[in-house]
C-alpha cells in the first residue's frame, strides 16, 4: 500500500498526466497540515509515507498514510476530507469483534464504507454487522465515486439521512403523495352484492348463463 501511494502524481488540474491536485482552500490545507504535524509528535502514530505540505503555489498536501496503535485514536474517528489515510492493524482472528466494536461503534459518522475480502463468509458477516455503519457501502471496491443522479447518496447517524441527494428517493421527501380514483361506470346502489334479494340474484345468474350460451362458453 505504501509503494502504491508513492506512485500518486500531483500537479495542476489541467494536466491530465497527474492523479491528484491541491486541496480546495487554505482552511482545508491548515486542517490537514495540523493533523499531520500532530501525528508526527504523537507516540501512537507512525507516518508510513507522505507527510509533506506546501502552500507556496496552491494548497498541496502529499498523500499520507498514518498508522495508529490504538483503534480509538482521534484520527480514526474524525473526518479530515483530504489525502490522509489512517490505518490500524487488527488481529486476524478478531474479524467480527473488530467490525462490531471498533468499526461500527468507532465513529459518529456513517457516510461511506468499504470492506475488502476474498472469504465470502467475511463479506457476508461484514455486510451484516456494518448495516448501519455506512449509507454507501462497497465490497472489494474503492469507497468513492458515487454516481450522482443514479443512486442515493448520503449517510446515517451524524452523516445525514441516507438519501439526501442523488436520486429519485430524495425527491419523494419533498412531495405529498395523493391518491385519485375515478369510476367510469357510475355506482347506482350503496349495498353489497350479497345483500340483494334472491330474485335479483337469480336474474343476474340467468343473465350470465344466457350470455355464456351466446358466446358458446
Amino acid at each position: 500500500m505504501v509503494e502504491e501511494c508513492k506512485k500518486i502524481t500531483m500537479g495542476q488540474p489541467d494536466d491530465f498526466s497527474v492523479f491528484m491536485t491541491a486541496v480546495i482552500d487554505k482552511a482545508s490545507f491548515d486542517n490537514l497540515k495540523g493533523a499531520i504535524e500532530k501525528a508526527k509528535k504523537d507516540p501512537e502514530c507512525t507516518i508510513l509515507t507522505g507527510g509533506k505540505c506546501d502552500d507556496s503555489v496552491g494548497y498541496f498536501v502529499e498523500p499520507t498514510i498514518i498508522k495508529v496503535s490504538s483503534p480509538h485514536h482521534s484520527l480514526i474517528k474524525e473526518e479530515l476530507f483530504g489525502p490522509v489515510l489512517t490505518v490500524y492493524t487488527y488481529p486476524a482472528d478478531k474479524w467480527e469483534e473488530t467490525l462490531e466494536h471498533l468499526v461500527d461503534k468507532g465513529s459518529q459518522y456513517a457516510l461511506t464504507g468499504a470492506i475488502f475480502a476474498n472469504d465470502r463468509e467475511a463479506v457476508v458477516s461484514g455486510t451484516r454487522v456494518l448495516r448501519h455503519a455506512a449509507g454507501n457501502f462497497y465490497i472489494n471496491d474503492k469507497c468513492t465515486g458515487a454516481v450522482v443522479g443514479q443512486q442515493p447518496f448520503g449517510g446515517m447517524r451524524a452523516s445525514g439521512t441516507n438519501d439526501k441527494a442523488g436520486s429519485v428517493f430524495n425527491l419523494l421527501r419533498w412531495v405529498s403523495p395523493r391518491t385519485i380514483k375515478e369510476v367510469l361506470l357510475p355506482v347506482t346502489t350503496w349495498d353489497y352484492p350479497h345483500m340483494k334479494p334472491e330474485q335479483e340474484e337469480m336474474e343476474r345468474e340467468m343473465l350470465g348463463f344466457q350470455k355464456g350460451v351466446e358466446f358458446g362458453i
Side-chain angles (χ1 to χ4, degrees), residues 141-158:
D141 196 10
K142 62 186 182 70
C143 56
T144 58
V147 184
V148 177
Q150 296 185 31
Q151 70 180 80
F153 182 77
M156 302 176 184
R157 300 171 182 168

Side-chain angles (χ1 to χ4, degrees), residues 2 5 23 26 33 40 72 76 83 96 125 142 158 190 192 207 209:
V2 171
C5 186
V23 298
K26 186 177 186 303
K33 182 179 180 180
K40 290 179 179 179
H72 303 291
I76 293 287
E96 288 208 22
S125 63
K142 62 186 182 70
W190 52 267
Y192 298 111
L207 180 61
F209 175 75

